[in-house]
Amino acid sequence: MRILLTGAAGFIGSAVADALTDRGHEIVALDALLPQAHGTVPDTRFPLVRGDVRDAELLRGLLPGADVVCHQAAMVGHGVDPSDMPGYAAHNDLGTAVLLAAMHETGVRRLVLASSMVVYGEGRYRCAEHGHVRPGQRRAEDVEAGRFEPPCPRCGRPLTSELVPEDAPLDPRSTYAATKLAQEHLAAAWARQTGGDVRALRYHNVYGPGMPSGTPYAGVASLFRSALHRGEAPRVLEDGRQRRDFVHVRDVAAANLAAAETPAPQGELDAVNICSGTPRTIGDLAESLASACGGPAPEIVGGARPNDVRHVVADPAKARRVLGFRARVGFADGVREFAAAPLRDAVGQG
């Protein structure tokens, strides 16, 4: 197949490019090389078109003959403060809208969309008395007092965290999260209007070789790894018991390959969790990385990032059912590899 891959030089995009190329697919690789993700221009195994996904004329030149678009390009991370909002909306939402319009004009009818678990907000919780409930925003006074677990909004009792299925309520709690959900809505509208098909892959916490370093937009794995590289202890917010699902970047690339080769139902968006299926805590990650790097032990510092969530871990069942996808890289092996692998150049270098 001929596949237009946006964000092809990025952390995840480059792994997807390798997986598609190794399978024998022809890729057309596009990347804007945003400075939030790239310090220097990365080496790639394939010709790279440097350009912006918001450039409709460029897209109309790249799309003819494509069988599917694999859309990885985005500004990522929580952001620094609300002044980031225009950039996120421009790159993620306007960029997706321009891409979808160009696909319509050139007759391309299949899309694999990189989405994120952040669209869920908090994870799935059960109260012993009231069943499944949605906890409210965590209060600053609770976080400051070290009360990190969200209580039942109806009775105040402790909640039990469960795996999040794809049909869980969506409640984005950051600028990035809001733009990722908007991407899904735009793609769903396009599918209904054109009869096209969309697979939205909701990535959970992706880690692995090639993560960018030295940027507030990076994920927690990169922040811990960068600190250890400097000889510093990883700083763990809250009490370190926040539960996440850490999935290796090669597994994410394998999921994209499966999605590219497996059409979704026509005229709709089909969302799929991409995860390891094995929940871990933030503290687990920090301790495992510190041990693998031979660095100082993590420091538990309390506090929390604004609008961060306590627990969000995924149900992997649908990915197995519709894509035949099952994560292959175990946590211990993946962390050891990540500890020894170089990160991308720090932002601003090069």
Side-chain angles (χ1 to χ4, degrees):
M1 290 192 299
R2 180 180 173 89
I3 301 171
L4 173 61
L5 173 62
T6 73
F11 163 50
I12 295 175
S14 58
V16 173
D18 287 341
L20 294 173
T21 301
D22 290 345
R23 187 65 164 233
H25 296 300
E26 176 190 0
I27 65 167
V28 179
L30 174 66
D31 202 295
L33 299 178
L34 294 180
Q36 291 92 337
H38 303 277
T40 58
V41 178
D43 293 327
T44 62
R45 295 169 49 190
F46 41 83
L48 180 67
V49 177
R50 184 168 185 171
D52 197 311
V53 74
R54 296 169 294 179
D55 185 339
E57 183 177 357
L58 173 64
L59 293 176
R60 286 192 289 267
L62 298 177
L63 280 165
D67 300 290
V68 60
V69 173
C70 189
H71 184 31
Q72 306 292 320
M75 277 185 68
V76 300
H78 272 258
V80 177
D81 58 48
S83 64
D84 287 328
M85 283 186 172
Y88 276 101
H91 286 286
N92 298 358
D93 299 338
L94 177 60
T96 297
V98 173
L99 174 63
L100 293 168
M103 290 175 65
H104 173 60
E105 293 171 11
T106 54
V108 181
R109 290 291 180 268
R110 291 192 54 216
L111 175 67
V112 177
L113 173 66
S115 188
S116 172
M117 57 90 171
V118 296
V119 300
Y120 297 119
E122 277 285 0
R124 184 178 178 90
Y125 293 88
R126 178 181 290 275
C127 172
E129 180 178 351
H130 298 107
H132 287 124
V133 297
R134 296 290 293 172
Q137 192 86 351
R138 290 195 289 175
R139 300 184 304 174
E141 56 266 34
D142 287 336
V143 171
E144 291 170 3
R147 296 187 295 268
F148 302 119
E149 296 290 343
C152 175
R154 298 177 63 182
C155 67
R157 293 180 181 177
L159 300 174
T160 301
S161 171
E162 298 183 343
L163 299 182
V164 182
E166 287 82 357
D167 60 358
L170 305 180
D171 182 23
R173 298 194 176 193
S174 69
T175 297
Y176 172 63
T179 62
K180 295 308 286 185
L181 183 54
Q183 283 185 303
E184 288 196 12
H185 287 321
L186 289 166
W190 168 86
R192 286 191 293 269
Q193 291 173 325
T194 65
D197 67 76
V198 183
R199 273 253 157 72
L201 305 184
R202 292 177 178 165
Y203 304 155
H204 285 252
N205 290 69
V206 187
Y207 74 99
M211 292 190 83
S213 63
T215 167
Y217 298 89
V220 66
S222 175
L223 297 178
F224 289 166
R225 175 72 172 74
S226 297
L228 288 161
H229 180 73
R230 298 191 299 266
E232 301 171 3
R235 291 171 56 84
V236 181
L237 297 179
E238 302 185 29
D239 57 3
R241 297 175 184 170
Q242 311 94 296
R243 296 171 72 237
R244 298 290 188 272
D245 187 304
F246 296 99
V247 58
H248 196 277
V249 68
R250 284 199 300 277
D251 283 326
V252 172
N256 274 274
L257 174 62
E261 294 179 342
T262 309
Q266 290 187 343
E268 62 183 87
L269 178 142
D270 190 46
V272 183
N273 286 328
I274 302 302
C275 59
S276 73
T278 306
R280 300 280 179 172
T281 68
I282 299 290
D284 288 341
L285 176 67
E287 291 171 4
S288 298
L289 267 177
S291 176
C293 291
E299 296 178 2
I300 306 297
V301 300
R305 292 186 300 181
N307 298 319
D308 210 351
V309 300
R310 179 61 175 172
H311 305 296
V312 54
V313 293
D315 186 340
K318 184 176 180 180
R320 295 171 186 165
R321 186 175 70 253
V322 303
L323 296 178
F325 168 77
R326 187 186 300 266
R328 302 296 181 188
V329 182
F331 182 77
D333 290 341
V335 168
R336 280 194 294 269
E337 178 193 18
F338 179 49
L343 296 174
R344 288 174 181 253
D345 293 328
V347 172
Q349 292 185 358

